[in-house]
Amino acid sequence: MKLPVQDPKTNNFQSLEDIQARKDELLEQLQTDNSHFGTKWNQLFVSKEDNSKTAFIGGLLVNSITVIDFILTARKLYKNYGSIFGLGKRKKKK
């Protein structure tokens, strides 16, 4: 959403009352935009509660696959690069 921008040359203020009226108009517009953006921001973090068993099992399955993938990746990295960081097998000095 793009805010309207007025050319400062077109604002011909004749008195302090004109400036105050413009200030009040801008304040009202800012408050309206703030409430609009606040509503949109809060909608981003609304959790969708789905209490069905299939959703629970699906989430459990996805989380388990993620954990297994992490464990296998960590094991592979430790096996191949652990000695670089002093964690893996060290060669014995003779």
Side-chain angles (χ1 to χ4, degrees), residues 2-4 7 54 57 62 72 81:
K2 196 170 187 180
L3 294 176
D7 188 16
T54 55
I57 293 172
V62 167
L72 292 175
Y81 302 108

Side-chain angles (χ1 to χ4, degrees), residues 58-72:
L60 191 63
L61 184 63
V62 167
N63 289 337
S64 348
I65 290 172
T66 304
V67 168
I68 290 169
D69 186 43
F70 171 75
I71 290 171
L72 292 175

